[in-house]
Amino acid sequence: MAELSNCPKCDAIFVRNQFRDVCQDCWKEEEKAYETVYQFIRKRENRTAKMMEVVEATGVEEELIIKFIKTGRLKLAQFPNLGYPCDKCGTSIREGKLCGSCAGDLKKDLQQFTSEEERRKEAAQKEKHGTYFAVNEKINRRF
């Protein structure tokens, strides 16, 4: 759904939608930057360039190149040395948001949390079943 927003680069007001997160002028600049990057890495001798080499050769900011990769405009399968940082630790990765190590840590933490929750539920069940109730003595006595 479209909404009014300020451009994060130039602070101009524009209508944000699912396709654009910057104003028209900044979008045109990003398109020029994309063409510059794509023309550079498209050449056979530059296909194995690393991120810093691409930044230095094209003059395009690393964050913008990462944006092109994350939005799928640059396919990493064609460029073996390009990558982007893991959201948690900053290690260079080629897919997803987390590197293998951080994903493994997260899975381990989730498993630990799940087992702790199960242990708490079992303890609550034992507490519930371990309670004794006394029946009123008047009802049980017969004189």
Side-chain angles (χ1 to χ4, degrees):
M1 177 163 239
E3 61 183 53
L4 274 180
S5 184
N6 285 27
C7 177
K9 291 188 175 190
C10 68
D11 211 31
I13 295 177
F14 74 105
V15 177
R16 171 177 281 184
N17 59 30
Q18 64 187 18
F19 303 110
R20 288 196 191 153
D21 59 350
V22 293
C23 69
Q24 180 72 19
D25 295 333
C26 293
W27 180 78
K28 287 179 183 177
E29 289 178 23
E30 282 187 4
E31 286 300 305
K32 288 178 187 175
Y34 171 77
E35 282 301 317
T36 303
V37 169
Y38 187 72
Q39 293 302 325
F40 175 76
I41 61 176
R42 198 173 109 178
K43 294 179 183 173
R44 184 178 303 274
E45 63 270 9
N46 297 332
R47 286 189 183 169
T48 57
K50 295 184 179 170
M51 182 66 77
M52 291 313 297
E53 295 170 355
V54 175
V55 169
E56 290 171 4
T58 61
V60 177
E61 297 173 355
E62 183 177 359
E63 292 82 23
L64 193 54
I65 297 172
I66 291 170
K67 180 180 176 182
F68 296 149
I69 293 170
K70 286 186 174 181
T71 57
R73 296 188 71 191
L74 292 178
K75 305 289 185 205
L76 292 181
Q78 300 168 352
F79 312 109
N81 292 334
L82 283 182
Y84 52 92
C86 168
D87 284 351
K88 186 174 179 186
C89 69
T91 303
S92 183
I93 57 175
R94 297 180 53 79
E95 63 183 356
K97 292 184 178 253
L98 298 174
C99 64
S101 173
C102 292
D105 290 345
L106 185 61
K107 284 180 185 177
K108 185 176 82 175
D109 290 345
L110 283 172
Q111 288 173 344
Q112 184 178 2
F113 176 77
T114 304
S115 64
E116 184 68 24
E117 282 295 310
E118 288 175 9
R119 189 190 63 77
R120 284 185 187 143
K121 286 180 183 177
E122 288 174 6
Q125 280 295 101
K126 285 181 182 179
E127 182 76 25
K128 185 177 178 182
H129 290 300
T131 305
Y132 294 100
F133 297 99
V135 178
N136 191 345
E137 290 181 16
K138 292 181 182 177
I139 296 174
N140 291 335
R141 286 189 190 173
R142 291 190 179 167
F143 290 100

